[in-house]
Amino acid sequence: FLRSLFEKCKQDGSNFFNDCLEHLFYNCLNKLPERAGSFYREKFDCQIPFLNGGLFEPINDYKWQNEFINIPNEIFSNNGGDGILDVFDLYNFTIDENTPDDQEISVDPEMLGKVFENLLESNTRKGQGAFYTPREIVHYMCRESLVNYLATNHSNLSEENIRNYINYGDSLNKGIAELGKNWKGESFTPGQFSELNELLRNIKVVDPACGSGAFLVGMLQEIVRLRTFLQLTPDSELFSKSSNSIKELTVYDLKKETIQNCIYGVDIDPGAIDIAKLRFWLSIVVEENIEDIEPLPNLDYKIMQGNSLLEDLVIGDSVIPLKFEGKKKIDGRTKEKKDLFIESHQAKLFIDESEALVEKLERYHTEYFNITDPDKKKILKKKIDGVEDELIQSKCNE
């Protein structure tokens, strides 16, 4: 698609970036079509869906309609064969992230993490700890985390049974016949199926230094795979669960629900955050039917840039270093500084003395996740920032 657009721009003598890509990214993929129920875009004379999610929003309120950035067409394709599109033409791409057992025959979104790491200078990479974690290691970490969580929280299943359950789920890719062989005549009761599903539906996964999202994406895949396994209802006595105990959802529904309710990530590098968001968006898109594609969710409050060590506390546009106790005048108001490395102060962060604010914030976050109108999104974002400022201020005053 991009190659055909580029060739048309060359014939017209247009600038590919300014006259084509900016309209595609900022105007089509980032904007609802004027005619409801149709993705037809007059400029490109074809159907182009509205993707939402902030993926194509102009950074720092960049006024793309009024600016001209001179990026020559040769950057994208040239006779030397080293343009962006020329290099992309050398590879086969997929948006489906493989499991460790899959044969790697194409470039998947995991490659984004490798690219991000190699763009950093070696000294910066070492200082930030930004090193690529092999897929097998991520897979092992996710599995062990889930085994510990399920075995600790499930009322009557042993760790051995949990491991067997996770191994049975592996057979999803091998078909029901193979699944029956691995099941070995064992079964869970309807109550156990339901409890496992509830534990997975309500799990909270937080990565305080998520990088390009390898661990979080791995956890998403594991949770969705195991919940899909719970929904299997083949005509076999090996399965014993009530058809009404678990609401059957598509893989798309399971992924979207898991991202909204279970996944949280923080990283100090904004580039890493963008890559992590992109991997989550791609993981959702791969399950969509192109005919009825839905706008992507907004992940601003799921995967966030920040310092997990809490060295600084941000209130509005002000940054308060949290290195000693005392008071300071900011914007005419007195702000009390707290050293969050003192255990008693850490505990206060988790004492819910601002329940109304917390409930309001959760309600706004849920609404923001699915909002599509750009103007309404900006208004809601200001409301969220205001509630966050109030919440931080209330914690500072404790």
Side-chain angles (χ1 to χ4, degrees):
F1 176 65
L2 287 177
R3 172 62 74 176
S4 65
L5 289 181
F6 178 79
E7 296 301 330
K8 187 173 185 303
C9 276
K10 276 180 59 178
Q11 293 176 4
D12 297 342
S14 306
N15 181 276
F16 185 55
F17 179 77
N18 284 277
D19 300 326
C20 182
L21 286 187
E22 288 198 322
H23 285 274
L24 174 64
F25 293 159
Y26 301 139
N27 195 40
C28 294
L29 297 173
N30 189 52
K31 188 177 178 182
L32 283 166
E34 294 181 1
R35 267 193 311 175
S38 172
F39 287 136
Y40 177 75
R41 311 289 181 162
E42 186 175 351
K43 179 175 177 61
F44 297 99
D45 192 26
C46 66
Q47 301 272 347
I48 300 177
F50 163 62
L51 290 186
N52 192 41
L55 187 60
F56 295 101
E57 287 182 355
I59 298 174
N60 297 327
D61 291 325
Y62 166 60
K63 307 297 182 185
W64 64 275
Q65 301 96 327
N66 305 322
E67 301 289 340
F68 180 86
I69 298 178
N70 185 23
I71 299 180
N73 287 348
E74 289 72 25
I75 294 291
F76 296 96
S77 184
N78 54 59
N79 294 331
D82 57 359
I84 295 172
L85 297 180
D86 300 326
V87 173
F88 284 171
D89 286 343
L90 300 176
Y91 296 91
N92 179 34
F93 289 90
T94 177
I95 60 173
D96 192 8
E97 300 227 19
N98 299 319
T99 65
D101 300 327
D102 289 337
Q103 182 180 6
E104 296 188 13
I105 58 174
S106 56
V107 179
D108 67 19
E110 184 191 33
M111 179 62 71
L112 294 168
K114 299 178 184 178
V115 171
F116 169 71
E117 177 198 340
N118 285 285
L119 286 174
L120 298 173
E121 297 290 340
S122 58
N123 58 335
T124 304
R125 188 163 67 246
K126 184 176 180 180
Q128 292 186 1
F131 291 96
Y132 168 70
T133 306
R135 185 175 294 171
E136 295 77 10
I137 302 299
V138 173
H139 188 63
Y140 173 80
M141 291 166 58
C142 295
R143 288 247 168 145
E144 290 304 304
S145 298
L146 283 173
V147 167
N148 181 270
Y149 167 75
L150 293 174
T152 302
N153 292 279
H154 199 287
S155 58
N156 58 0
L157 284 179
S158 66
E159 182 176 320
E160 181 181 0
N161 284 334
I162 295 295
R163 288 189 183 277
N164 287 338
Y165 157 59
I166 289 178
N167 289 334
Y168 299 150
D170 272 346
S171 299
L172 278 174
N173 299 326
K174 301 175 184 176
I176 298 301
E178 185 68 21
L179 182 61
K181 293 178 184 177
N182 286 346
W183 190 260
K184 299 177 182 177
E186 298 178 20
S187 176
F188 292 148
T189 67
Q192 289 171 331
F193 268 103
S194 181
E195 190 171 352
L196 281 170
N197 185 66
E198 282 302 299
L199 285 172
L200 290 170
R201 190 171 71 87
N202 294 313
I203 189 175
K204 304 299 179 187
V205 181
V206 183
D207 191 339
C210 66
S212 57
F215 176 72
L216 294 177
V217 171
M219 287 296 286
L220 170 68
Q221 292 174 329
E222 287 293 312
I223 292 168
V224 170
R225 182 176 60 81
L226 294 176
R227 289 190 66 192
T228 302
F229 173 79
L230 290 175
Q231 295 187 154
L232 281 176
T233 54
D235 296 325
S236 169
E237 293 181 0
L238 295 175
F239 295 82
S240 173
K241 73 181 183 69
S242 167
S243 60
N244 297 322
S245 63
I246 299 174
K247 178 186 176 183
E248 295 203 10
L249 301 170
T250 65
V251 174
Y252 171 82
D253 293 330
L254 287 171
K255 281 188 174 182
K256 194 169 181 179
E257 182 180 276
T258 302
I259 292 173
Q260 181 172 7
N261 298 330
C262 309
I263 302 293
Y264 302 87
V266 179
D267 199 271
I268 199 168
D269 192 297
I273 292 299
D274 286 340
I275 292 175
K277 287 181 181 179
L278 177 58
R279 290 178 71 175
F280 277 111
W281 280 317
L282 292 177
S283 73
I284 296 176
V285 168
V286 73
E287 307 297 343
E288 273 274 48
N289 293 321
I290 194 65
E291 291 80 14
D292 22 84
I293 186 170
E294 294 182 0
L296 292 167
N298 300 293
L299 302 181
D300 300 47
Y301 297 102
K302 307 297 297 179
I303 313 294
M304 300 181 68
Q305 182 191 0
N307 188 343
S308 297
L309 296 178
L310 295 177
E311 291 177 352
D312 298 317
L313 180 62
V314 181
I315 299 180
D317 295 325
S318 305
V319 178
I320 303 177
L322 297 171
K323 295 181 180 177
F324 57 89
E325 294 189 70
K327 296 185 177 181
K328 183 177 181 180
K329 286 279 188 180
I330 297 179
D331 298 332
R333 295 175 294 170
T334 300
K335 303 286 186 181
E336 186 175 359
K337 295 192 276 187
K338 297 282 189 182
D339 185 352
L340 295 187
F341 294 96
I342 296 176
E343 188 173 352
S344 61
H345 293 164
Q346 293 175 1
K348 284 187 177 181
L349 288 177
F350 301 98
I351 298 175
D352 192 1
E353 297 181 3
S354 309
E355 290 187 9
L357 287 173
V358 171
E359 289 178 3
K360 183 186 288 187
L361 194 60
E362 289 178 350
R363 189 168 66 251
Y364 282 165
H365 282 174
T366 301
E367 184 181 348
Y368 189 87
F369 187 79
N370 293 307
I371 198 168
T372 57
D373 187 285
D375 295 327
K376 291 181 179 178
K377 188 191 296 186
K378 288 180 181 178
I379 294 172
L380 185 56
K381 189 170 176 47
K382 287 183 179 179
K383 289 182 180 180
I384 292 174
D385 292 342
V387 175
E388 287 180 343
D389 288 349
E390 288 184 59
L391 195 56
I392 292 171
Q393 181 60 40
S394 70
K395 294 301 179 183
C396 285
N397 292 334
E398 291 178 0

